[in-house]
Amino acid sequence: MVINKICCIGAGYVGGPTCSVIALKCPKIRVTVVDKSTERIAQWNSEKLPIYEPGLDDVVKECRGRNLFFSTDIETAIKEADLIFISVNTPTKTFGNGKGRAADLKYVESAARMIADMATGDKIVVEKSTVPVRAAESILNILRANKKPGVSYQILSNPEFLAEGTAIDDLINADRVLIGGEDSPEGQAAIEKLCWVYEHWISRRNIITTNTWSSELSKLAANAFLAQRISSINSLSAVCEATGADISEVARAVGLDSRIGPKFLQASVGFGGSCFQKDILNLVYICECLNLPEVAAYWQQVIDMNEYQKSRFSAKVIESLFNTVTDKKITILGFAFKKNTGDTRESPAIHVSTTLLDEGAKLHIYDPKVEPSQILEDLTHPSVTEEPEKVKKSIEIHSDAYTATKGTHAIVLCTEWDEFVTLDYQRIYNGMMKPAYIFDGRKILDHEALMKIGFQVQTIGAGRLSYGRSWLHPSLATLLLQCNKVH
Ligand code: NAI
């Protein structure tokens, strides 16, 4: 039953934290995380880890050099391991068949080929990356087609449900661990071995075992459901803005229904991150390939609504600033896709910033954890601009919120960092151009207090706010008038 050595291919947001927690909870297992990027591995072995995740530093400090190792020696780690996690990236394809929708499995394939080349003895290979349904079959085909004598493989699916920003807590107190495998004695034995690893800290009743395809699909389904909730509440935020209803009040009323529940009902500028969009696009593509166009269209709408929300918010900023932001200085507060991470993949801040830059704005950007080089890379990437030099001249990256807001016309809050709630907004207001605007894309600020100071405040899912009185949208007023005429 015993697993002595684990190798994890891919030292990213999933491989790093997951294996750190396994090493913490299973001190007798030697865990080696490998990556082809020497830079990433050097960072994992340094004082400044390559990713920011609350609690991660402590776990790594406790285990690194004891039973947790980060290495570029992929061959030795694969040879020695009883169990190998594949935690490489599975981005959306950017070319060829399925471009813009299908998951690009080239990294998974290359990991499988490395295992096939290097493995000796019996190996359990575990898909931790999020993959299309039946990807395990392709991995197995590669492994079996290149099998050397004396080597045997079992493939398991063990998708990761951690959320960035709360990864360590999610891993330690997982709602569930999902393991899918082959319905054969060998498959069941492999499942039991992986269960044994998790049972070091997760209760057996929270470890679910299924067939491989259910496990693969469950990960896509879970992300689709989560993103769908955000798009659902965001769609209603547009109705609120047009009617005078308040999305926070609606969300509260809806969420108190125990069948619905209150979590993940916060309207915002839109969801981001490396997973939701990519995984739903992948699901859409799978449905199309399976000749299920209605199902594909249903899930596509979740993505379309998110695009609409980001565009709607950006348009609202421009419209409120007298329909022109050319040469206006605008502060972007927060650049990460959510709080407590430095990850900017698919961050709504990129969409908002790019739209404002296209309109000629000068941006003053501050994020507590995103590296300036990352912000620069995101905003000058060929996919978002044809004029990187112009963009460079139009952005200033600041190391605190006070300098970032000094002398600007407006603040656009894109990430819900806790520190933004407790800023001294009177001090900020005093330093800004007047009228001073705040666009709260995350609904975290005290809007009444800001209006008392003198700010013009706009947010998601509420009519234009004005201190001391509610505001009726003109289209609603017209509608009501027309109704009165009819009756
Ligand atoms: P990442 O991009 O942060 O890390 C992937 C790492 O794999 C990179 O460091 C890359 O250099 C390495 N890599 C790629 N091919 C390799 C190879 N052949 N040999 C050695 N190293 C190789 O990706 P992230 O965010 O960790 O995601 C990994 C997978 O986990 C993806 O499928 C993702 O969808 C899934 N996932 C991600 C979550 C997240 O919050 N980021 C949550 C749950 C699942």
Side-chain angles (χ1 to χ4, degrees), residues 8-18 34-38 40-41 44 51 53 71-72 74 78 86-91 103-114 128-131 159-165 167 219-220 223 273-276 278-279 337-338 343 345:
C8 173
I9 305 177
Y13 285 86
V14 164
T18 308
V34 293
D35 203 290
K36 61 184 180 179
S37 161
T38 42
R40 234 181 192 185
I41 291 299
W44 279 109
I51 63 175
E53 193 60 61
S71 166
T72 48
I74 300 178
I78 288 178
I86 299 182
S87 302
V88 300
N89 36 335
T90 50
D104 191 340
L105 293 183
K106 70 178 173 206
Y107 302 107
V108 172
E109 184 179 335
S110 86
R113 287 189 186 281
M114 286 189 318
K128 194 160 257 312
S129 299
T130 306
V131 289
E160 185 47 64
F161 293 103
L162 68 79
E164 284 176 34
K219 173 62 193 174
L220 296 181
N223 273 355
S274 66
C275 292
F276 283 175
K278 155 178 94 68
D279 294 347
F337 83 91
K338 67 194 283 202
D343 194 353
R345 292 179 287 181

Side-chain angles (χ1 to χ4, degrees), residues 122-426:
D122 299 341
K123 305 285 174 195
I124 299 174
V125 177
V126 184
E127 256 177 11
K128 194 160 257 312
S129 299
T130 306
V131 289
V133 191
R134 298 197 83 94
E137 202 166 26
S138 314
I139 297 176
L140 199 58
N141 282 340
I142 294 173
L143 294 177
R144 291 206 172 138
N146 296 284
K147 202 163 82 74
K148 291 185 217 132
V151 180
S152 83
Y153 296 109
Q154 272 303 317
I155 309 283
L156 300 178
S157 158
N158 171 220
E160 185 47 64
F161 293 103
L162 68 79
E164 284 176 34
T166 51
I168 299 301
D169 190 48
D170 294 344
L171 287 162
I172 290 177
N173 303 305
D175 290 338
R176 80 303 207 186
V177 165
L178 177 58
I179 302 174
E182 221 177 76
D183 190 14
S184 64
E186 298 79 13
Q188 295 305 307
I191 290 178
E192 281 309 313
K193 286 188 179 174
L194 186 55
C195 284
W196 174 82
V197 172
Y198 283 110
E199 276 178 85
H200 282 75
W201 77 99
I202 305 278
S203 136
R204 180 70 196 226
R205 65 171 185 278
N206 290 342
I207 304 177
I208 305 167
T209 60
T210 64
N211 80 35
T212 316
W213 324 129
S214 304
S215 172
E216 290 174 334
L217 182 58
S218 298
K219 173 62 193 174
L220 296 181
N223 273 355
F225 269 65
L226 288 168
Q228 183 203 43
R229 270 175 86 95
I230 300 179
S231 278
S232 296
I233 201 75
N234 281 345
S235 74
L236 293 169
S237 75
V239 179
C240 288
E241 286 164 40
T243 57
D246 184 321
I247 197 64
S248 303
E249 292 175 352
V250 174
R252 182 158 178 269
V254 170
L256 281 170
D257 185 324
S258 59
R259 292 168 302 177
I260 297 171
K263 289 186 183 165
F264 248 63
L265 276 184
Q266 169 81 327
S268 72
V269 54
F271 61 75
S274 66
C275 292
F276 283 175
Q277 176 165 313
K278 155 178 94 68
D279 294 347
I280 295 177
L281 286 171
N282 185 2
L283 181 61
V284 168
Y285 182 70
I286 292 169
C287 294
E288 282 172 2
C289 292
L290 294 172
N291 200 20
L292 300 169
E294 290 81 3
V295 186
Y298 177 77
W299 289 110
Q300 177 65 43
Q301 195 56 33
V302 173
I303 303 280
D304 294 348
M305 185 53 61
N306 197 48
E307 288 304 308
Y308 172 67
Q309 188 75 349
K310 289 185 282 186
S311 304
R312 224 166 56 75
F313 182 69
S314 310
K316 188 176 187 169
V317 173
I318 296 166
E319 188 195 311
S320 306
L321 295 172
F322 312 103
N323 257 327
T324 173
V325 292
T326 309
D327 289 330
K328 282 186 181 147
K329 291 180 189 163
I330 299 178
T331 305
I332 303 290
L333 275 192
F335 204 78
F337 83 91
K338 67 194 283 202
K339 75 173 179 180
N340 293 337
T341 178
D343 194 353
T344 61
R345 292 179 287 181
E346 304 295 340
S347 176
I350 300 175
H351 182 111
V352 173
S353 300
T354 304
T355 308
L356 296 175
L357 286 166
D358 281 348
E359 294 280 335
K362 307 281 183 209
L363 300 186
H364 292 218
I365 304 171
Y366 167 64
D367 185 283
K369 287 292 172 195
V370 180
E371 296 292 337
S373 57
Q374 185 64 52
I375 297 177
L376 209 58
E377 193 183 317
D378 288 337
L379 294 181
T380 55
H381 194 271
S383 62
V384 297
T385 183
E386 286 169 1
E387 299 175 294
E389 288 313 312
K390 191 173 159 206
V391 166
K392 276 184 202 161
K393 285 188 194 131
S394 302
I395 58 179
E396 275 180 29
I397 299 165
H398 290 261
S399 54
D400 74 87
Y402 296 105
T403 58
T405 50
K406 199 155 182 53
T408 63
H409 293 82
I411 296 171
V412 181
L413 190 148
C414 291
T415 314
E416 73 281 23
W417 285 102
D418 290 345
E419 70 169 63
F420 296 160
V421 178
T422 52
L423 290 170
D424 179 350
Y425 281 97
Q426 182 66 58

Side-chain angles (χ1 to χ4, degrees), residues 435-452:
Y437 287 84
I438 289 193
F439 301 91
D440 182 359
R442 295 288 179 168
K443 299 181 76 65
I444 56 166
L445 302 179
D446 181 344
H447 301 145
E448 284 278 316
L450 292 171
M451 284 185 284
K452 246 189 216 168

